[in-house]
Amino acid sequence: MKVSVIGTGYVGLVSGVCLAELGHTVFCVDVDTVKIDQINQGITPIHEKGLADLLKKNVGSRLTATADLERAVHETELSLIAVGTPFDGQEIDLSYIRHVAEKIGDALKSKSAYHVVVVKSTVVPGTTDTVVTPLLESASGKKAGPDFGVGMNPEFLREGEAVVDFMSPDRIVLGACDTRSLSVMQALYAPFESVDILSTNSKTAEMIKYTANSLLATMISFSNEVGNLCKKTGKVDVTEVMQGVHLDKRLSPIIDNGRRIVPSFTTYIEAGCGFGGSCFPKDVKALISYGKSLGEPMGLLDAVIKVNQAQPRQIIAMLEKHFPSLDGVHITILGLAFKPETDDMRESPAIPVIQTLLNRGAQLCAFDPVAKDEAMKLFGEDTIQYAKTLGDALAQPQAVVLLTRWDAFKDLARLIQPMKPQPLVIDGRRMLDKNAFDRYEGIGM
Ligand code: UDX
Ligand code: UDX
């Protein structure tokens, strides 16, 4: 099938490259000509495991990047919209979606063949039907249904695992305005014969996406609230509490002779220094704002955001317990990205932690396997010392603060134990052995 993907960001580029790998002919469209040139040279503008190899394999044959949206629409049967849908502080920002919908509508005006437009970006329920479709119709002078198809196909890609998540999906959700649009969308995913495909309307597909992300975010804030209570309770470690909770056979079913299935979502029921990324915060806030616009109070999700926004302060409180003044204190920050295996610092808890410590006059040294450049864009090159290696980062800290669960930090104890005196270790992700250090503080204990 010939497909155009509009927007070559974390979602659009992964989707385009994987669809090419599956045998489709793909046009990746973007307004950013730097990205287009990079893609056509086989260079990925983003850091995603496995993406570069697949791009190199397909670019120039099954995959082409272009700024010419009209040509891409004319030469393909289906267009996926994967442009940004940021949260503007009040509500979801649909300006990019609107802009692209109009451009696609313009292209449809002069296209006689049937074409299906599918929204892949995360948009609040109703957007495909009440924003995208009317814009397509007004710009093309044609009618959705008889003249062209419209649908919604949410992405469930985790950053750092996006290629695996696309190539081995756990579900495919297809929202469509009619059966003809649906059949074209089904053809797109024909290679995934054994995957559960849920076919529904566009509004339900949009709601599934928000609900999925909001549930995961809620589990994290729930775990963090329990963790903060455990810390106040004294002699209770949230890690052990959650181990006890995870053993509930409804969470980790006992299959036979004591063996259990431990579902991976249990790792979202663990306390840490808060969730980040370009999805959870944005999506939960957009759903709250959407719900409130319909008169729903959205009290639970409001609390999920409030708990998450306060969580980085737990790190500061643990430091203040040992350093009444943070002015001039040498602190090493381990982990800057919002999660391991990515350089993305969008909404990372490391941002408020670093901002507060800099405001308090702390002398900071930071190490992250890949997010250094992103951190430099945020904090400049000389406000923080950026260590090239983990060893360099441990040269002389009075305190070490772990904020991202990079594997590289697993055996931190081996590096810390020989130090005299040992620095204070603050474990923001509870990934370390609390008994392996002279002075250890952790979230939720
Ligand atoms: C975006 C949304 O943020 C996410 O909610 C949705 O699920 C998928 O799309 P992401 O891929 O991270 O995720 O967006 P971003 O990294 O901002 O990339 C969007 C791309 O679209 C950029 O390369 C931008 O140049 C491009 N774009 C934007 C266009 O090509 N045309 C436009 O009109 C606007
Ligand atoms: C998320 C959803 O997982 C994905 O399905 C959706 O398509 C986009 O949003 P992403 O934000 O990229 O993906 O990564 P994820 O690994 O879910 O991390 C989100 C947040 O949850 C991070 O802040 C991370 O620290 C936290 N997290 C992640 C946990 O607390 N525990 C985990 O086991 C994994």
Side-chain angles (χ1 to χ4, degrees):
M1 210 173 147
K2 291 190 173 179
V3 186
S4 40
V5 182
I6 322 297
T8 62
Y10 282 93
V11 175
L13 183 58
V14 170
S15 302
V17 168
C18 291
L19 287 169
E21 176 64 10
L22 288 167
H24 296 300
T25 300
V26 179
F27 284 88
C28 286
V29 182
D30 206 295
V31 291
D32 183 335
T33 50
V34 172
K35 278 189 183 178
I36 289 165
D37 294 344
Q38 286 177 320
I39 293 166
N40 284 329
Q41 291 164 43
I43 301 162
T44 54
I46 54 171
H47 175 94
E48 266 299 337
K49 233 179 342 187
L51 185 65
D53 294 345
L54 287 187
L55 173 62
K56 286 193 183 74
K57 186 177 160 193
N58 288 286
V59 71
S61 53
R62 284 203 283 252
L63 185 143
T64 311
T66 175
D68 188 345
L69 184 145
E70 180 165 24
R71 176 184 158 228
V73 170
H74 280 223
E75 298 193 11
T76 58
E77 303 158 67
L78 179 145
S79 296
L80 288 173
I81 299 178
V83 292
T85 52
F87 185 74
D88 67 7
Q90 296 301 322
E91 59 185 4
I92 188 171
D93 174 358
L94 293 174
S95 57
Y96 301 127
I97 292 280
R98 286 195 172 86
H99 176 249
V100 167
E102 276 163 23
K103 299 294 254 181
I104 295 173
D106 286 342
L108 291 178
K109 200 186 312 182
S110 53
K111 177 176 184 181
S112 50
Y114 182 72
H115 192 88
V116 180
V117 182
V118 178
V119 177
K120 182 166 269 297
S121 294
T122 301
V123 291
V124 291
T127 302
T128 301
D129 295 339
T130 64
V131 174
V132 175
T133 300
L135 285 170
L136 289 170
E137 291 181 328
S138 57
S140 66
K142 296 180 174 176
K143 200 89 189 80
D147 302 324
F148 61 86
V150 183
M152 202 272 156
N153 165 223
E155 50 90 8
F156 298 105
L157 308 178
R158 292 165 298 162
E159 270 186 50
E161 309 292 338
V163 171
V164 166
D165 286 344
F166 194 100
M167 297 304 275
S168 313
D170 44 15
R171 67 203 134 159
I172 293 168
V173 172
L174 301 177
C177 74
D178 59 12
T179 49
R180 189 177 181 192
S181 311
L182 181 61
S183 61
V184 176
M185 294 167 76
Q186 285 166 334
L188 186 67
Y189 290 107
F192 295 120
E193 281 142 18
S194 58
V195 176
D196 287 326
I197 294 187
L198 191 154
S199 302
T200 180
N201 59 60
S202 294
K203 202 168 189 177
T204 303
E206 291 157 343
M207 194 62 175
I208 289 170
K209 168 69 185 174
Y210 274 98
T211 305
N213 271 7
S214 298
L215 173 63
L216 293 167
T218 300
M219 292 195 280
I220 294 170
S221 281
F222 167 79
S223 307
N224 289 340
E225 180 150 284
V226 169
N228 298 342
L229 176 58
C230 291
K231 183 174 259 314
K232 284 274 171 44
T233 312
K235 290 193 175 23
V236 175
D237 185 336
V238 68
T239 308
E240 289 162 47
V241 169
M242 290 312 183
Q243 276 164 0
V245 169
H246 291 170
L247 287 172
D248 182 327
K249 64 186 174 207
R250 291 164 296 189
L251 291 184
S252 39
I254 298 166
I255 32 181
D256 52 28
N257 56 31
R259 275 188 330 114
R260 284 176 184 266
I261 298 173
V262 182
S264 51
F265 80 79
T266 51
T267 56
Y268 288 77
I269 308 177
E270 286 176 357
C273 52
F275 59 78
S278 73
C279 295
F280 283 6
K282 160 177 78 72
D283 293 350
V284 175
K285 288 177 191 169
L287 190 60
I288 291 168
S289 153
Y290 170 71
K292 287 182 175 174
S293 75
L294 298 179
E296 273 303 310
M298 308 299 286
L300 177 65
L301 290 182
D302 258 341
V304 166
I305 292 295
K306 222 171 0 201
V307 167
N308 192 57
Q309 282 170 343
Q311 199 59 9
R313 290 203 283 273
Q314 294 287 326
I315 301 291
I316 305 301
M318 286 188 270
L319 282 165
E320 285 171 334
K321 201 173 125 190
H322 295 261
F323 302 97
S325 163
L326 291 166
D327 188 17
V329 178
H330 288 268
I331 300 172
T332 284
I333 305 284
L334 296 183
L336 298 168
F338 82 93
K339 60 179 271 195
E341 300 308 324
T342 179
D343 61 348
D344 194 342
M345 281 189 68
R346 289 184 279 190
E347 306 272 336
S348 169
I351 296 173
V353 169
I354 288 172
Q355 263 157 356
T356 305
L357 293 177
L358 288 174
N359 295 343
R360 301 281 185 85
Q363 297 295 310
L364 297 187
C365 172
F367 174 70
D368 182 293
V370 293
K372 186 185 95 174
D373 293 347
E374 291 305 309
M376 281 187 174
K377 286 180 206 162
L378 287 167
F379 296 108
E381 305 203 358
D382 46 22
T383 50
I384 299 170
Q385 185 205 344
Y386 297 98
K388 287 191 174 54
T389 67
L390 179 55
D392 292 351
L394 298 174
Q396 56 173 39
Q398 293 164 266
V400 175
V401 178
L402 187 151
L403 297 178
T404 311
R405 265 179 184 243
W406 282 104
D407 278 350
F409 306 145
K410 270 211 173 90
D411 59 354
L412 190 65
R414 188 176 51 77
L415 296 170
I416 298 263
Q417 278 161 357
M419 293 169 76
K420 297 273 179 285
Q422 282 190 21
L424 167 68
V425 173
I426 305 264
D427 187 355
R429 292 291 177 189
R430 298 308 312 276
M431 74 178 279
L432 304 170
D433 172 0
K434 64 186 178 185
N435 300 312
F437 302 93
D438 292 348
R439 291 190 295 153
Y440 174 97
E441 293 277 357
I443 290 276
M445 61 168 274

